[in-house]
Amino acid sequence: MKILKKSLLLTFSLALPLLAMQAGDVQVRIHADQGKTKINKEIYGQFAEHLGTCIYGGLWVGPDSPIPNRDGYRLDVLNALKELQVPVLRWPGGCFADDYHWMDGIGPKEQRPSLRNNNWGGTIEDNSFGTHEFLNLCELLGCEPYISGNVGSGTVKEMAQWVEYMTSDGDTPMARLRRQNGRDKPWHVKYFGIGNEAWGCGGNMTPEYYANEFRRYNTYLRNQPGNALYRIASGASDYDYNWTRVLMKAIGRRMNAISVHYYTIKDWGNKGKATAFSDEEYYLTLEKCLDVENVIRKHCQIMDETDPQKRIGLMVDEWGTWWDEEPGTVPGHLYQQNSLRDAMVAALMLNVFHKYTDRVRMANIAQMVNVLQAMILTDQKDGGHMVLTPTYHVFHMYKGFQEAVHLPLDLMCHQLTTSEGKTVPALSASAARKADGSLILSLANTDLKEAQTVSIQLDGFTPKNVSGQVLTSKNANDFNDFDHPTNIAPADFKDAKIKKDGLTVTLPSKSIVVLTLK
Ligand code: AHR
């Protein structure tokens, strides 16, 4: 991999006078006196599918397991997830959702039928983790549930009854069945997805056909007193703008949001290894990751045509890296390691989502445990082990962005150019004002080799002190495993100095820094 001569990149959020610039300068100007839109905390959402060991072994081991658990939920994982302030959790799929029949997952466990998980390795699913187990988990985590309903192989009646079962407080047949199964009061269920990837594993439909299906299913999903559903239509795969256009026209008035899925994959036929990659592959990954901004912008433009008031949300309800499965793991279980490169992808993606928070109301990283770009990896040996991935640490460091007011910024840095001619800006930044008046600022130096000194100008804010954390490592392909669980971990950051009109920050190469300014 050869990084060609650096070129300057300027991104301006507003039509403002240019910063005085010289090659090699890295400058950020934050408009702390502006900012209108809150960063929806749901952008920090998660996704847990019945896939591999995400649910079984990852989140759930059952109450009789030798692994320490609370009512069947792994305690180590539960405690680590509580630290992240997970705002919303999507379940049961993914592709699994359109094969899932919820009534198989309620009632006495020994009477629950099993099924073959056709999408994911043919594993036998015993349905021991069902509606009660999921919704109780959300209560333990203090997050909103986001249910994906089965349009592909289910029925309207089945979906309507599921909503009644979960949310009715009346003397209705499904509420009675729920009480019989041990839960008196309904759960609060706000987010409901009507199908998943309807263009693919969710039924291979055309957008026109799906739009009609949405109307039919949506009609029978009744809001129960005190529980209004936020109805999410199954949206496009990344670059399929026609899907969004058709749905906006056909069902724009009936849905609250539409989803889009964006995975950071360069080549579906050759995904590449999670921890063995060249510098060139590293930069190509970041370039693909950053292309999400073009994708979001185009979907937003289409939505603006018929919904200029931005009533309808765009939910990036699956995103993340997708590498080859780790050798020796069960094919179809999508178990992959997670390196500093994945952490960089997470930081860059979150910085993009922040910018579009007026339309992007939710994002759900795929997935929570043991699958794709996971927060946590577990095993079940000798009482169970757990590692927090570099991606987990990014989510932890970024917690303060949840519900903070996004601040526009101008950025000037050099670009790194790959031998394929693809470019990646050397710096990604995002800033927001928290409810207590402090500022939170993220800075990611994508450059594999060079540290960068960033001059930050703050308009309308005078910091008295600055503190923060840095996530970095010697090599971009470093990772955490059960023998080295803290190989990559956040450390206190000391290289930010307050100056007259802002601050100067020296970022190590390939690092992510999050600062709080008070
Ligand atoms: O996250 C893994 C799979 O990716 C999901 O099941 C599906 O919706 C998507 O294609």
Side-chain angles (χ1 to χ4, degrees), residues 137-155:
L137 171 64
C138 290
E139 286 185 342
L140 284 173
L141 291 175
C143 71
E144 294 275 358
Y146 171 10
I147 301 278
S148 263
N150 178 350
V151 171
S153 71
T155 64

Side-chain angles (χ1 to χ4, degrees), residues 153-202:
S153 71
T155 64
V156 173
K157 179 178 177 190
E158 183 184 11
M159 195 187 284
Q161 286 183 324
W162 200 6
V163 169
E164 183 189 320
Y165 185 90
M166 293 184 288
T167 62
S168 166
D169 200 15
D171 186 21
T172 66
M174 287 301 112
R176 282 204 293 274
L177 181 59
R178 185 192 67 233
R179 291 188 192 108
Q180 217 174 292
N181 289 329
R183 172 81 186 200
D184 180 22
K185 286 284 158 203
W187 293 276
H188 178 72
V189 177
K190 176 176 175 187
Y191 297 108
F192 199 94
I194 301 181
N196 167 72
E197 297 195 348
W199 40 265
C201 63

Side-chain angles (χ1 to χ4, degrees), residues 47 49 51 94-95 120 196-197 261 263 318 322 366-367 372:
F47 171 36
E49 179 166 9
L51 195 180
C95 293
W120 306 119
N196 167 72
E197 297 195 348
H261 290 177
Y263 283 100
E318 288 185 28
W322 194 323
Q367 297 193 7
L372 298 176

Side-chain angles (χ1 to χ4, degrees), residues 52-343:
T53 52
C54 182
I55 302 288
Y56 301 107
L59 291 161
W60 174 260
V61 286
D64 303 328
S65 170
I67 296 174
N69 66 83
R70 175 172 171 184
D71 302 331
Y73 307 101
R74 272 185 84 132
L75 266 181
D76 50 359
V77 173
L78 199 58
N79 290 335
L81 290 173
K82 279 186 188 162
E83 288 294 313
L84 285 187
Q85 286 172 2
V86 177
V88 57
L89 179 56
R90 180 171 182 252
W91 173 86
C95 293
F96 181 78
D98 284 283
D99 256 337
Y100 184 62
H101 300 281
W102 70 272
M103 281 204 183
D104 294 347
I106 56 169
K109 299 231 160 132
E110 55 295 350
Q111 288 169 24
R112 297 186 190 180
S114 55
L115 79 148
R116 185 175 188 274
N117 192 331
N118 291 314
N119 288 289
W120 306 119
T123 306
I124 299 303
E125 157 74 51
D126 70 1
N127 273 309
S128 55
F129 189 95
T131 301
H132 289 246
E133 291 74 20
F134 171 66
L135 293 173
N136 292 344
L137 171 64
C138 290
E139 286 185 342
L140 284 173
L141 291 175
C143 71
E144 294 275 358
Y146 171 10
I147 301 278
S148 263
N150 178 350
V151 171
S153 71
T155 64
V156 173
K157 179 178 177 190
E158 183 184 11
M159 195 187 284
Q161 286 183 324
W162 200 6
V163 169
E164 183 189 320
Y165 185 90
M166 293 184 288
T167 62
S168 166
D169 200 15
D171 186 21
T172 66
M174 287 301 112
R176 282 204 293 274
L177 181 59
R178 185 192 67 233
R179 291 188 192 108
Q180 217 174 292
N181 289 329
R183 172 81 186 200
D184 180 22
K185 286 284 158 203
W187 293 276
H188 178 72
V189 177
K190 176 176 175 187
Y191 297 108
F192 199 94
I194 301 181
N196 167 72
E197 297 195 348
W199 40 265
C201 63
N204 282 303
M205 302 174 198
T206 63
E208 291 81 6
Y209 184 87
Y210 170 72
N212 281 336
E213 287 294 271
F214 179 97
R215 285 166 180 253
R216 197 161 69 92
Y217 276 79
N218 188 41
T219 305
Y220 300 95
L221 302 185
R222 315 281 191 205
N223 285 338
Q224 299 294 328
N227 194 95
L229 294 177
Y230 185 93
R231 295 144 197 268
I232 302 168
S234 169
S237 177
D238 41 36
Y239 303 92
D240 183 358
Y241 304 111
N242 182 52
W243 188 277
T244 299
R245 186 169 284 112
V246 171
L247 262 55
M248 284 299 291
K249 288 204 176 121
I251 53 173
R253 284 189 305 110
R254 296 165 199 271
M255 62 186 177
N256 296 107
I258 183 170
S259 66
V260 62
H261 290 177
Y262 189 90
Y263 283 100
T264 297
I265 303 180
K266 279 307 274 183
D267 175 358
W268 281 95
N270 178 21
K271 300 188 192 79
K273 296 190 170 50
T275 55
F277 50 85
S278 63
D279 290 0
E280 171 92 359
E281 285 173 277
Y282 165 87
Y283 286 113
L284 288 175
T285 299
L286 299 195
E287 190 266 336
K288 169 71 189 184
C289 150
L290 286 169
D291 202 31
V292 75
E293 181 158 6
N294 295 320
V295 169
I296 288 177
R297 201 184 291 123
K298 285 187 190 154
H299 285 288
C300 287
Q301 278 164 4
I302 292 165
M303 295 175 77
D304 286 347
E305 287 166 18
T306 49
D307 178 34
Q309 297 81 19
K310 301 191 195 295
R311 187 190 66 79
I312 301 168
L314 180 65
M315 320 302 245
V316 190
D317 65 11
E318 288 185 28
W319 69 272
T321 55
W322 194 323
W323 312 119
D324 294 342
E325 297 177 277
E326 290 298 321
T329 60
V330 180
H333 280 197
L334 309 188
Y335 181 90
Q336 65 187 39
Q337 250 299 352
N338 195 296
S339 73
L340 185 64
R341 175 176 63 167
D342 295 82

Side-chain angles (χ1 to χ4, degrees), residues 356-415:
Y356 296 87
T357 190
D358 59 343
R359 182 69 90 175
V360 176
R361 309 268 158 76
M362 189 195 291
N364 307 75
I365 189 167
Q367 297 193 7
M368 197 174 223
V369 190
N370 291 335
V371 171
L372 298 176
Q373 192 176 350
M375 301 291 118
I376 293 174
L377 301 175
T378 66
D379 75 7
Q380 299 199 70
K381 292 181 205 138
D382 310 324
H385 302 92
M386 173 189 85
V387 286
L388 307 178
T389 66
T391 299
Y392 174 98
H393 294 308
V394 171
F395 271 65
H396 197 270
M397 289 163 70
Y398 271 59
K399 265 192 313 189
F401 278 106
Q402 296 188 24
E403 297 292 295
V405 175
H406 177 250
L407 297 173
L409 57 79
D410 307 325
L411 183 154
M412 185 187 74
C413 68
H414 61 273
Q415 299 209 78

